[in-house]
Amino acid sequence: MAERAAPVGVMDSGVGGLSVLREIRHLLPQESLLYVADCGHVPYGEKSADYIRERCRHIAGFFREQGAKAMVLACNTATVAAVADLRGLYPDWPLVGMEPAVKPAAAATRSGVVGVLATTGTLQSAKFAALLDRFAGDVRVVTQPCPGLVECIESGDLHSPHLRRLLAGFVEPLLAAGCDTLILGCTHYPFLRPLLATWVPSEIAIIDTGAAVARQLQRLLRERELLASGPAREPAFWTSAEPQALGAVLPLLWGGSGSVQHLRP
Ligand code: DGL
């Protein structure tokens, strides 16, 4: 029986899930948080679903050893590949996944055209096709895979001329197609909001699901009477690559330093 004071495990292929971790900390400051960045295997976006499922099984097993009362797959690509598998393995463990914000975008658009920026893995998945069938309705959804963005963000590059050119190459065609709403369908991309704001017109809505995922975690914990009453322990970070590399970008992407340990293979 999990305890209220037990931690919540949050994972991503790398640093992207920190954008979700920030929302969880904001909504649920009393929760103790564990974060695994699978930086030794990033990016997930171009890898097979089987490969990603194995990584997620490994990390879920690690969180369970740490006594985590719940897990957040803070990665759209990992969710399409592995959430059903993990739910089958651990049917009673609260597990929150992510999906691109098609439903709110379809409700918000006035032009009737919505753009989705995400990884190839997410956009090619049956789960994404089902999401469109269910929520897109009459709205035209233009999809854009973005290879290369994740690597820049992993290295702490949020502003370079190279990144700006790469991003413009992905976003300009969506604007030209008439999109008035852009979905950030990868948890790395919210870190690009400041760069996007320097040239994307302010009337274009840019949405992601980090805050919604934090609310879903809150709902699941409340239903099971597992909400912590605090105080939270300091968040603990693990990476499957060099701890120094994650430690170096934490102040920029997390807003503080933290102890980073190496995740056993
Ligand atoms: N941050 C991840 C997502 O939300 C995946 C990025 C990657 O590793 O390709 O899809």
Side-chain angles (χ1 to χ4, degrees):
M1 180 83 174
E3 291 174 25
R4 287 172 175 270
V8 174
V10 181
M11 73 155 286
D12 178 48
S13 60
V15 299
L18 294 171
S19 67
V20 181
L21 199 72
R22 289 193 309 196
E23 299 289 351
I24 295 173
R25 176 178 58 174
H26 179 70
L27 185 69
L28 301 168
Q30 73 284 7
E31 298 294 340
S32 299
L33 303 172
L34 314 176
Y35 185 84
V36 169
D38 199 11
C39 300
H41 301 265
V42 69
Y44 280 179
E46 310 291 321
K47 296 202 169 61
S48 75
D50 282 347
Y51 186 97
I52 297 167
R53 262 194 297 278
E54 275 310 307
R55 294 307 305 158
C56 292
R57 279 185 175 218
H58 178 62
I59 294 164
F62 172 74
F63 283 146
R64 291 187 62 93
E65 282 168 27
Q66 299 290 317
K69 64 184 175 185
M71 175 171 177
V72 178
L73 275 170
C75 176
N76 294 265
T77 315
T79 300
V80 297
V83 75
D85 180 59
L86 293 180
R87 289 203 169 114
L89 277 176
Y90 307 114
D92 299 324
W93 197 36
L95 184 60
V96 183
M98 313 226 32
E99 62 187 19
V102 173
K103 187 181 177 190
T109 179
R110 278 161 290 120
S111 69
V113 191
V114 162
V116 187
L117 300 152
T119 66
T120 307
T122 296
L123 296 175
Q124 287 183 348
S125 68
K127 211 164 158 44
F128 181 70
L131 189 68
L132 293 185
D133 278 350
R134 183 147 177 235
F135 295 120
D138 294 338
V139 168
R140 185 156 81 89
V141 177
V142 188
T143 59
Q144 177 63 63
C146 306
L149 289 187
V150 163
E151 289 85 339
C152 292
I153 298 160
E154 286 291 315
S155 70
D157 173 11
L158 305 182
H159 292 287
S160 73
H162 163 71
L163 173 61
R164 192 188 168 92
R165 271 194 306 278
L166 195 62
L167 188 58
F170 298 138
V171 172
E172 293 294 357
L174 299 180
L175 299 181
C179 298
D180 67 350
T181 307
L182 298 179
I183 298 172
L184 304 181
C186 167
T187 54
H188 282 75
Y189 305 164
F191 291 115
L192 301 179
R193 279 180 180 273
L195 181 59
L196 285 165
T198 62
W199 55 274
V200 172
S202 57
E203 59 272 21
I204 305 292
I206 301 178
I207 55 181
D208 70 80
T209 48
V213 162
R215 288 194 298 274
Q216 174 65 3
L217 174 65
Q218 183 183 43
R219 263 191 299 275
L220 289 187
L221 294 179
R222 184 181 290 133
E223 268 169 31
R224 290 165 171 78
E225 300 187 353
L226 282 175
L227 279 172
S229 44
R233 293 188 289 278
E234 282 300 305
F237 299 90
W238 283 265
T239 172
S240 52
E242 278 302 304
Q244 298 91 310
L246 179 59
V249 294
L250 273 185
L252 177 69
L253 302 177
W254 169 244
S257 54
S259 88
V260 184
Q261 297 168 62
H262 189 256
L263 182 77
R264 60 171 165 66

